Structure formats: structure tokens, C-alpha cells
Amino acid sequence: MAKDLTTVVSSKTKTVEINRNNPTVVIGERINPTGRKKVLAALKEGNFDMVRQDARDQVAAGAHILDVNAGVPGADEPALLKQVMQTVMEVTDVPLCIDTADPEALAAALSVYEGKALVNSVNGEERSLEAVLPLVKEHGAAVIGLCMDDDGIPDSAEARLKVAGKIIERAGKLGIGPEDVVIDPLALTMGADSNAGRVALDTIEMVVREFGVNVTMGASNISFGMPDRKYINATFIAMAIHAGLTCPITNPLVPEVSIAILAADLAMGRDEFGMRWIQAYREREKAAGK
Ligand code: THG
């Protein structure tokens, strides 16, 4: 059993420590035009009002880190990502998770970021390792490693564990320690493959046992195409926290999910005297006018 590692990320003024003995760190997913037509349309018009709103709302709802994605088809992504990040940094003070597949956009984003960012992401493909890891090292950032490589996303947890090991090893060769690599097992859609949830959970357990690293996951992916998604997402996140998930990428505005995370932390002994659970309950009662 590997030792639980701590990943530190920061903004100019706030530091977040991700560790399996701390409360779960929520990475807010909503600043992302992919799959969100309204955000896409607004960004295309150069309107950042929704970005501001999404940033404030997610932090108010308990997000500790904000994922920022500016992947607008046909746009100048390096310029747009910088603008979206600067907008977010003007209205909130939490650390950012820079979500881009474009190394040029990543370099631009890191150059304007003040603090220690979480880079989303590198994967086991040679091209990705060679483009992303040097930037992570140069800027002293932390990085999310996706369990996929040149052959795609492996079907088995064993094969995903191998990809995680490769990413951790390659990062280490550049002087990026395992505490700065956060592994994403990749949660695929259960509607398309009923084993998708199981494989992700098994991968988390194996990665934690072997490497002790922190684990993230885009947990809402699993329920695409299913009705009543919030219940699936909430239950799956709670199960994944038991398996070793420490920093899910999710929508904190969905109460079912946020409440499930608090309950899972309580059940895992990460909420001393249940203080966070009780506080959140009181806030819900107050908001309901009770
Ligand atoms: N792993 C990592 N990063 C990721 C993912 C992952 N980044 C992107 C994605 N997956 C996680 N982020 C989002 C962002 C937004 C939405 C879903 C995942 C989203 N979805 C709505 C839905 O579920 O239908 C769209 C509707 C809407 O709200 O407008 O918003 O897996 N490392």
C-alpha cells in the first residue's frame, strides 16, 4: 500500500491541499463550452457574462478549484483561454484547473496564471507526454494524467493502471514528483458499456494501492443518455470516494451530488464531528427559509 500523497495547488491568495485524509476537493466543471450550447454561443460573441456567473455560482456552491475550458471550434484557443482565465481570476480567488488539449493554449494559459495550476491534462500518448510535461515542469504546476495512450482507452483496469504508471514514471524523469500527478481513470458512459463504472472504480483502487497518488474523474460522463442522471452521478461519486477519488470534476450546483460528497466524506472519517455535514444542513435550512 503506497503512502497517500498530497497535491498542492494554489491561486495568488488561496492554497488547496488534495489528500485522501482531507475533505474531498471539488473541481467545478461548468466553465466549458463543450456540451453547453449557451456558453459556446456566448463565447463566440465575446460575451463573458456567463463565465463570470458560472465562476461565482460554483464557488458559492462549494467548488474549491475551477476547471476552465475554452475549446470553441474555429476560435483562437490560446487567446480565448487566456481571456476566460483572466475573467475567472477577476471574480473568484480559487485555484484553476486548465482544461485544454492544445499545448499552445496551455503554454499561453500558464504564462498568465499566478500560482500553482492544475493542468488538465496529459495522457500516455508519446505526443502528449512530450508536449505537456515540459510545460508542467517549467511552470511548477501539477498535472492530471488520463489513463489512455496511443492505443486509445484500455478496456481493463490493469491496462489503465499501466498507463498511469507510465505517466508517473515519465513525469518523474523530468523532475515532476508523483505528488504532482493526479490520475484520471476515465469514466466512460455506462449507457454505452455497462462495465464502464466498474472499470473506473477498479482502476481507482489499483492506482491508489500502487502509487498513493491523488485521483480525479469527470464523474458526470458516466450517466450520459440515462434518465435521472443526478442520482447516478451522486451514487457513483460516493462509491468512487470510497475507492480513493480525492478531487472529482463535477457540477457543485447539483445538490444531490454535493450532498453525496459530504455524506461520503462523513462516512470516510474525513469530517470531524460531522461539522461540515451539519453546517451544510444548516445552510440548506436557511436557504429554504426555515
Ligand atoms: N476528465 C478530465 N477532464 C474533463 C473530463 C474528464 N474535462 C471535461 C469533462 N470531462 C468534464 N467537464 C464537463 C463539463 C460540462 C459538462 C459535463 C462535463 C456539462 N454537461 C451537461 C450535461 O451533462 O449534459 C451539458 C448541459 C448543460 O448543463 O448545459 O455541462 O472526464 N480530466
Side-chain angles (χ1 to χ4, degrees):
M1 191 84 188
K3 180 172 162 280
D4 285 329
L5 300 171
T6 300
T7 306
V8 179
V9 293
S10 63
S11 63
K12 211 168 14 169
T13 55
K14 276 215 164 112
T15 296
V16 174
E17 291 193 6
I18 308 167
N19 179 280
R20 237 166 315 280
N21 301 304
N22 292 351
T24 298
V25 168
V26 172
I27 305 176
E29 74 181 8
R30 288 181 61 80
I31 303 170
N32 189 335
T34 320
R36 294 192 63 215
K37 290 204 177 93
K38 276 192 187 166
V39 179
L40 182 60
L43 287 184
K44 273 191 171 160
E45 290 168 8
N47 179 343
F48 294 89
D49 292 344
M50 277 195 79
V51 170
R52 280 184 203 97
Q53 187 75 33
D54 276 335
R56 289 197 187 102
D57 288 351
Q58 290 186 100
V59 172
H64 306 97
I65 295 173
L66 293 178
D67 186 85
V68 177
N69 181 304
V72 174
D76 173 358
E77 194 178 332
L80 187 60
L81 181 59
K82 270 203 290 193
Q83 273 180 302
V84 173
M85 279 180 45
Q86 266 155 343
T87 304
V88 174
M89 289 191 284
E90 276 162 25
V91 296
T92 64
D93 61 357
V94 298
L96 301 185
C97 174
I98 305 171
D99 191 350
T100 176
D102 174 358
E104 268 182 52
L106 176 61
L110 284 167
S111 73
V112 296
Y113 187 71
E114 296 179 77
K116 181 174 171 185
L118 181 56
V119 170
N120 188 9
S121 56
V122 70
N123 64 58
E125 289 178 76
E126 256 334 291
R127 216 164 40 120
S128 172
L129 293 163
E130 283 167 19
V132 176
L133 291 179
L135 287 171
V136 171
K137 176 63 188 168
E138 179 189 340
H139 293 272
V143 64
I144 294 174
L146 306 182
C147 292
M148 57 181 284
D149 61 13
D150 298 276
D151 299 322
I153 303 173
D155 287 331
S156 74
E158 289 77 12
R160 291 191 200 183
L161 174 72
K162 257 197 173 161
V163 178
K166 176 182 174 185
I167 295 170
I168 292 166
E169 187 191 326
R170 291 288 290 271
K173 280 192 177 149
L174 290 187
I176 304 163
E179 69 283 357
D180 281 327
V181 181
V182 176
I183 293 297
D184 184 336
L186 292 176
L188 301 180
T189 303
M190 298 196 288
D193 172 4
S194 50
N195 270 318
R198 171 88 261 173
V199 172
L201 294 172
D202 288 349
T203 304
I204 295 175
E205 284 183 4
M206 291 165 74
V207 162
V208 167
R209 200 180 311 133
E210 183 87 12
F211 304 113
V213 293
N214 282 298
V215 175
T216 187
M217 187 166 65
S220 18
N221 305 351
I222 54 151
S223 60
F224 277 127
M226 285 289 182
D228 259 349
R229 292 180 59 188
K230 56 185 182 290
Y231 299 114
I232 302 175
N233 294 347
T235 303
F236 185 64
I237 280 205
M239 293 172 76
I241 287 171
H242 180 249
L245 175 72
T246 46
C247 49
I249 303 174
T250 187
N251 181 355
L253 301 179
V254 179
E256 288 80 358
V257 172
S258 294
I259 292 171
I261 291 171
L262 287 164
D265 280 346
L266 183 60
M268 293 292 286
R270 297 181 188 176
D271 182 1
E272 208 179 1
F273 306 117
M275 294 300 281
R276 297 174 74 245
W277 176 263
I278 293 165
Q279 165 94 24
Y281 167 74
R282 288 192 180 132
E283 279 166 20
R284 289 199 298 279
E285 292 287 289
K286 205 171 141 193
K290 287 184 188 163

